Amino acid sequence: MALELYDSKTRTQSPFAPITPGKVGIYLCGATVQGAPHIGHVRSSLAFDILIRWLRRSGYEVCSIRNVTDIDDKILAKSAEAGWQWWAWAYRFEKEFTAAYDALGILPPTYEPRATAHITDMIELIAEIIEAGHAYVGKPGNVYFDVASLGDYGSLTRQSVGNMTVDEDDLEGDKRSPHDFALWKAPKPDEPETASWDSPWGRGRPGWHLECSAMAGRYLGDEFDIHGGGIDLRFPHHENEQAQSHAAGRGFARVWMHNAWVTVQGEKMSKSLGNSLIVSEILKEVPAPVLRLALGSVHYRSTIAFSEATLHEAHANWERLTGFLVRAEDTVGPADEEQVAALTAEDFPEEFRAAMDDDLNVSAALAVIFDHLSKANIALSERDDVEVAEAQVRLRAMLDVFGLDPLSAQWRSEGSPAHDHALEVLVEEMLQRRADARAAKDWSAADGMRDALQAAGIVVEDGAEGVRWHVRENE
C-alpha cells in the first residue's frame, strides 16, 4: 500500500501524491515564543518529526519549514510586565524551544524563519490581497481582511460565517464586520516603537495569521504539499492563513494535518488549569527518550492522556529496547551504522510499512517492533548470532523512524546505553539487598546501603508504590 494521509480539510484519508514527484514541502506552525515550551508544544513537533522521518525513509526529499513567531500581542504584554525588551523576551524563549527540540531528538527543520525577518514579504502579501479586493484600510496603520468577500472562507473548518467566533480585536472600531481580522495593526500607545514597522498604510505590525501565510509562500511557493499544526490552530489561525493565501491567488496547502491535544488528569492542558508541564522541568526527572516515547507512541490524531502511568510504561518499554540492543552489541558487535541508515521503507517488515503508510499508525508499528524484539531475544538466548545481527540492524532502523534508536548518536550523547544498563543492574541489586535487610529487620545494613547509594549520587525514594531511584543532577 502507498502512503495515505488524513486531510483535516476534506476529512478523508487518501493516497499521498506530492506536487513534485519525489519531493515534499511541509509547513509546520512553530512556536509563538511568549513562554517556556510545555509538552503540548513538543507533542506537535514530535508528531511531524515522525512524519518527516518516515517520508525520508520512503525515499522522499523533504523541505520542512517550522516558523518562529517572535512578535505578537502576548509577547509584547508579557515582556512589558516582566520589564524586558520584547525582542530579548522572544529570543530567550526561542532558545528554550530549541533546547527542548534538541533534547528530545527532534530533527531541525530545513529552514526556521522568524516572523520579524519577513516584514517585507508580509507587506507585499497585504498589497496583493488589497489589489484583489479582499482587504481594506481602516484608520492609519490598520488593514483588515474582508471575510465576506471570499467565497470559500470557512472551507477548512466547514463553518458558515454566521456560526464563527467573532474577532474581538477591534479597539479602533474601524472594522466593517466583527468577523474581519487584522492583516496589519497600528501600534498601541503603550507599545515600544521598535515593535512596529513602516508600511504604505501607516506604521504598524503584522497580524498573527498573516505571518505564516507570508513565510510559507516565501519558502515553499504559492502551493505546497502539507501544512501541519495542533488541532487548536484550525480556527481561526489556519482558516485565516488559507483565506489570505487564496485571496492572493495562491493555492496554499494541499493537505492539512492536525495533531490532537495532550490531556493531564482528564483535562486539556492549559495554563488556566494550572497543569502545564514544562519540558525542562520534566526532563529533570524523566530521561529524554522516555518522554519522547510517551509522547510519540500515540497516533497523532488521538489525544495523549499524560500521567505517571504513561511515563512508567514508556520507561519500561525503553528499557526493553535498550536492553536487547546493548546485549546484542556485546554479543555480535556493533551494527554497521551505514547499513542502519541505508534501510528504506521497502526493507522494513511488511506489517511495519503498512502501519506507517496507514496515516502514521504508530501504535501498530510499535507492536511490530516489539514482536520482532521478542523474536530477537529468543535468537539471542539461543546464540543465533546471524539472526541477532540482522535483528539489531532491523530494529535500530525501525526505531529511528520514531527517533528512538538507543544506540544512535543522539542518545549515546545523553550517556552510553551500555553504561546506563550496567548502572541500573548494580543499583537494582543493591536495592534488592536493602529490601532483604529491611525484611530481616537489619536496619543498620539497610541504612548503610541507602547511604552508599546516596554518596554515589543515587537518590532513593520509598513510596506507597514501591522504591524509586534516580541519579541526582549536579547543582
Side-chain angles (χ1 to χ4, degrees):
M1 120 181 223
L3 173 62
E4 293 187 352
L5 297 175
Y6 181 86
D7 184 353
S8 300
K9 181 176 181 178
T10 64
R11 301 183 187 179
T12 59
Q13 181 172 313
S14 58
F16 174 64
I19 297 169
T20 302
K23 297 184 177 182
V24 181
I26 300 175
Y27 187 88
L28 174 62
C29 276
T32 298
V33 285
Q34 56 173 298
H38 56 61
I39 56 174
H41 293 129
V42 295
R43 193 273 163 103
S44 184
S45 300
L46 265 172
F48 291 97
D49 184 63
I50 292 172
L51 169 65
I52 291 168
R53 289 171 181 270
W54 182 241
L55 287 169
R56 288 176 175 165
R57 287 281 180 175
S58 299
Y60 290 103
E61 178 185 333
V62 179
C63 178
S64 62
I65 310 301
R66 184 182 66 210
N67 73 293
V68 176
T69 295
D70 58 345
I71 179 74
D72 88 327
D73 291 348
K74 292 179 181 179
I75 291 172
L76 293 177
K78 291 185 177 183
S79 60
E81 183 180 351
W84 284 54
Q85 295 280 4
W86 66 269
W87 44 264
W89 184 265
Y91 187 53
R92 167 191 172 182
F93 291 110
E94 179 184 340
K95 290 192 293 184
E96 288 197 20
F97 269 87
T98 299
Y101 297 145
D102 290 345
L104 292 172
I106 296 171
L107 297 172
T110 310
Y111 305 108
E112 192 168 25
R114 294 190 185 102
T116 53
H118 293 79
I119 300 298
T120 300
D121 295 310
M122 297 175 202
I123 291 173
E124 290 175 356
L125 178 56
I126 293 173
E128 292 177 30
I129 297 171
I130 292 175
E131 184 177 358
H134 295 294
Y136 57 92
V137 180
K139 294 181 180 180
N142 288 339
V143 181
Y144 297 102
F145 188 89
D146 184 359
V147 167
S149 72
L150 189 69
D152 77 341
Y153 188 80
S155 62
L156 176 62
T157 52
R158 296 189 175 189
Q159 299 182 81
S160 63
V161 174
N163 293 328
M164 291 180 180
T165 303
V166 172
D167 187 339
E168 300 290 349
D169 187 14
D170 187 19
L171 299 179
E172 302 291 338
D174 57 347
K175 291 200 302 185
R176 295 176 184 172
S177 165
H179 294 286
D180 295 346
F181 58 90
L183 299 177
W184 193 254
K185 304 168 67 169
K188 300 172 185 175
D190 59 344
E191 292 177 354
E193 187 175 352
T194 55
S196 61
W197 292 262
D198 290 328
S199 82
W201 316 285
R203 193 164 180 85
R205 57 186 170 86
W208 178 41
H209 315 301
L210 181 77
E211 299 174 356
C212 287
S213 292
M215 287 185 280
R218 164 60 66 182
Y219 293 96
L220 296 174
D222 289 354
E223 187 174 26
F224 55 94
D225 297 300
I226 299 171
H227 192 311
I231 195 169
D232 53 321
L233 296 178
R234 289 180 70 233
F235 185 85
H237 187 49
H238 289 166
E239 188 73 71
N240 291 349
E241 277 187 53
Q242 176 181 267
Q244 293 161 163
S245 300
H246 285 186
R250 304 178 182 182
F252 208 53
R254 279 196 172 185
V255 176
W256 288 86
M257 298 177 67
H258 291 97
N259 64 276
W261 293 298
V262 176
T263 62
V264 180
Q265 296 177 344
E267 296 183 276
K268 176 182 175 291
M269 278 191 58
S270 69
K271 292 183 179 179
S272 63
L273 292 175
N275 58 12
S276 288
L277 295 175
I278 304 303
V279 174
S280 59
E281 292 300 314
I282 297 176
L283 292 180
K284 292 178 181 178
E285 304 292 336
V286 179
V290 171
L291 179 58
R292 177 171 180 126
L293 181 55
L295 295 175
S297 58
V298 177
H299 192 277
Y300 74 92
R301 287 191 287 116
S302 296
T303 299
I304 294 176
F306 191 80
S307 65
E308 285 290 332
T310 305
L311 292 172
H312 180 77
E313 181 181 2
H315 191 275
N317 286 332
W318 177 248
E319 291 301 322
R320 287 178 62 196
L321 295 164
T322 301
F324 166 76
L325 289 171
V326 168
R327 293 191 299 273
E329 191 171 79
D330 289 343
T331 302
V332 300
D336 184 327
E337 296 296 330
E338 292 185 1
Q339 188 180 6
V340 173
L343 288 189
T344 68
E346 292 299 318
D347 300 316
F348 289 136
E350 181 180 352
E351 298 88 350
F352 183 89
R353 188 169 66 250
M356 293 303 296
D357 280 344
D358 181 16
D359 191 38
L360 308 180
N361 188 343
V362 294
S363 298
L366 280 168
V368 175
I369 287 176
F370 282 106
D371 180 58
H372 280 256
L373 177 66
S374 297
K375 295 174 182 177
N377 274 317
I378 293 172
L380 186 63
S381 66
E382 295 177 349
R383 286 306 307 266
D384 185 346
D385 290 357
V386 173
E387 175 55 30
V388 170
E390 291 178 355
Q392 182 186 32
V393 172
R394 186 167 56 245
L395 282 167
R396 286 190 57 189
M398 287 192 288
L399 287 168
D400 179 67
V401 172
F402 288 81
L404 286 168
D405 172 11
L407 303 186
S408 65
Q410 170 72 32
W411 304 123
R412 282 188 190 274
S413 67
E414 293 289 317
S416 166
H419 292 171
D420 291 345
H421 180 66
L423 174 64
E424 180 180 15
V425 170
L426 292 172
V427 172
E428 292 293 343
E429 173 64 22
M430 284 197 70
L431 289 176
Q432 184 58 54
R433 292 183 182 180
R434 175 174 174 262
D436 292 342
R438 295 179 72 180
K441 298 186 178 182
D442 187 349
W443 308 118
S444 177
D447 291 344
M449 280 179 266
R450 178 173 184 144
D451 292 343
L453 287 168
Q454 289 182 332
I458 307 297
V459 178
V460 179
E461 299 173 343
D462 295 307
E465 297 180 356
V467 180
R468 298 178 61 184
W469 65 273
H470 65 270
V471 179
R472 183 173 59 241
E473 297 290 337
N474 294 326
E475 300 294 335

